[in-house]
Amino acid sequence: DIQVTQSPSSLLASLGERVTITCQTSQSISNNLNWYQQKPGQAPMLLIYYATSLQTGMPSRFSGQYSGRSFTLTITSLEPEDIANYFCLQHYSAPHTFGAGTKLELK
Amino acid sequence: EVQLVESGGGLVQPGRSMKLSCAASGFTFSSFPMAWVRQAPTKGLEWVATISTSGGSTYYRDSVKGRFTISRDNAKSTLYLQMNSLRSEDTATYYCTRDAHRAPFDYWGQGVMVTVSS
């Protein structure tokens, strides 16, 4: 199985701050990685698919990049509604595997 | 609007069975493969099973093979997960998700909790 290492596991940030979350895969997956946001008691929401494509309806302050086996999710300017858990998913090969998640909290 | 609503969870004893359902709306259900994903308390997410559009092909993670069965009723736009011989390690919130080619796992339900305990 492809291992996905997500960091940090938790993150304190201020409103307006630039936030970056990273997922590293154990082998090359091309761009086959998605990013999700999940708030307590709610369904996960797709933010970014195929590493860089913004899901329809998601704010443009969210963006995804990748280089080799390293993938990043960036929030350019943190808004209050961005406080949530974030996780990544590799869908290059079965079984699809997830990062452990990042809990984003307000400083 | 795409909606996925899971039901059927609860408390069950080890070794017993439980069947989850996921009612889909807002899209042509029969056109999309579907999947179940779970998250144990304080643990990460893990894929459980996937089913093709017709139901003719199914895929499972090793730990549930032979115990879980994923199925679908396209006429009712409903996805199922039959879970037999349940173990304590199956305790988790179970999510159904749409496995779209454009964006795998693009829509998720809110999840249903399954607790396996005596």
Side-chain angles (χ1 to χ4, degrees), chain A:
Chain A
D1 298 2
I2 295 176
Q3 308 304 310
V4 181
T5 302
Q6 185 171 343
S7 61
S9 57
S10 63
L11 179 57
L12 288 174
S14 302
L15 296 178
E17 187 175 335
R18 182 184 184 91
V19 171
T20 299
I21 299 168
T22 299
C23 281
Q24 178 121 10
T25 56
S26 59
Q27 62 189 75
S28 178
I29 62 167
S30 186
N31 65 342
N32 292 276
L33 185 128
N34 294 353
W35 289 99
Y36 299 86
Q37 177 193 72
Q38 185 178 24
K39 297 180 180 178
Q42 296 186 17
M45 290 182 61
L46 178 65
L47 290 170
I48 302 287
Y49 60 98
Y50 286 106
T52 61
S53 296
L54 185 67
Q55 172 71 335
T56 304
M58 295 298 115
S60 59
R61 62 181 178 274
F62 292 95
S63 65
Q65 294 182 304
Y66 74 107
S67 176
R69 295 183 290 112
S70 183
F71 299 79
T72 57
L73 171 70
T74 299
I75 308 172
T76 52
S77 179
L78 188 66
E79 298 283 340
E81 59 267 31
D82 301 335
I83 300 307
N85 290 309
Y86 293 85
F87 61 90
C88 59
L89 161 73
Q90 73 79 19
H91 52 85
Y92 175 76
S93 70
H96 297 345
T97 46
F98 295 85
T102 295
K103 185 174 185 178
L104 177 57
E105 297 175 294
L106 269 181
K107 191 183 292 182

Side-chain angles (χ1 to χ4, degrees), chain B residues 8-10 12 18 20 83 86 90-94 112-116:
Chain B
V12 61
M18 178 173 278
L20 305 181
M83 303 183 292
L86 282 161
D90 297 317
T91 294
T93 297
Y94 286 73
V112 62
M113 184 68 197
V114 174
T115 302
V116 184

